[in-house]
Amino acid sequence: MAISRQTRLYIVLGVAQVAALAVLAWFAERQVALGPTDKLGWRPFTWPLSTERAPAGHAYSGEDHDVYVWLTLNGLGSSGDCPKGIANDAALERAVDIRLLDPRFEPVGPGERLRVTDLVGWTRVYVHRRNNKSLRYGEAVAVSYKCDVISAIIDGDARDPAKRKTAHEFLESNTVQVWINKQLEGR
């Protein structure tokens, strides 16, 4: 018994629909695992940085910036900075290697003191020239909680103080702070 052309077409369409639903279910499961987009529009995405040079953390994409946040437990214990925290450019360089994003990043100038919620740390702006000769700016941020270090890289136009402020406010938001507190539970 031969299958009609119309029946074969229905079978192909049915298989295509099942495949499309499977892909949609996989994508939905992945998005649920990453977490929801917050009310300000920051969307989580898969951690893209090397876990050999920095522990896995959370990555978020906003309107103007991508923000990568991670926690290094006892990150200051061996460097002698534990009592002082992150208080200068050298301590920031030890805590955050912005060259994880691109090895061509160089500091724009000296860093400055920064407060994220009730934690104090250090921040510094970096720049590199892309292959198309445009400039790319980023910012390294590190604050300490006891001897643990909360590090962030802000990838976007870090020259603009308003955009930097938006990224810093995101670091203080519930989205980031809840994740950090869960990581610090029991310490």
Side-chain angles (χ1 to χ4, degrees):
M1 179 171 135
I3 299 176
S4 71
R5 185 175 186 175
Q6 184 177 10
T7 303
R8 282 189 295 230
L9 178 62
Y10 288 149
I11 291 171
V12 169
L13 288 175
V15 168
Q17 287 177 339
V18 169
L21 286 173
V23 168
L24 184 61
W26 170 83
F27 181 75
E29 184 177 337
R30 183 174 153 262
Q31 287 304 108
V32 167
L34 288 173
T37 299
D38 74 0
K39 65 182 178 181
L40 299 176
W42 289 91
R43 298 168 305 285
F45 64 95
T46 305
W47 185 253
L49 304 178
S50 166
T51 55
E52 293 174 6
R53 295 175 51 198
H58 275 202
Y60 302 92
S61 183
E63 189 173 311
D64 297 316
H65 293 33
D66 289 339
V67 176
Y68 311 92
V69 182
W70 68 94
L71 178 69
T72 306
L73 299 176
N74 200 27
L76 296 177
S78 62
S79 66
D81 289 333
C82 196
K84 298 178 285 184
I86 308 294
N88 56 44
D89 290 336
L92 177 70
E93 291 281 332
R94 284 190 297 274
V96 181
D97 185 5
I98 195 165
R99 291 165 191 89
L100 290 168
L101 286 180
D102 193 309
R104 298 174 291 180
F105 271 114
E106 295 298 328
V108 171
E112 60 190 20
R113 187 180 155 112
L114 172 77
R115 179 180 282 285
V116 175
T117 63
D118 59 341
L119 304 176
V120 177
W122 204 256
T123 182
R124 193 173 193 187
V125 176
Y126 294 79
V127 66
H128 80 76
R129 187 169 301 280
R130 295 179 180 184
N131 292 336
N132 67 0
K133 306 296 184 224
S134 67
L135 297 178
R136 177 181 180 190
Y137 289 87
E139 180 180 11
V141 174
V143 295
S144 60
Y145 173 75
K146 299 181 181 176
C147 288
D148 301 327
V149 178
I150 300 150
S151 304
I153 295 175
I154 300 167
D155 186 21
D157 189 359
R159 294 174 304 171
D160 184 346
K163 290 181 181 179
R164 286 178 69 196
K165 183 179 179 197
T166 300
H168 295 172
E169 287 171 351
F170 175 66
L171 291 175
E172 294 181 338
S173 73
N174 279 346
T175 303
V176 176
Q177 292 302 312
V178 166
W179 177 76
I180 289 171
N181 287 334
K182 283 182 182 177
Q183 302 302 306
L184 291 172
E185 272 181 10
R187 294 219 17 102

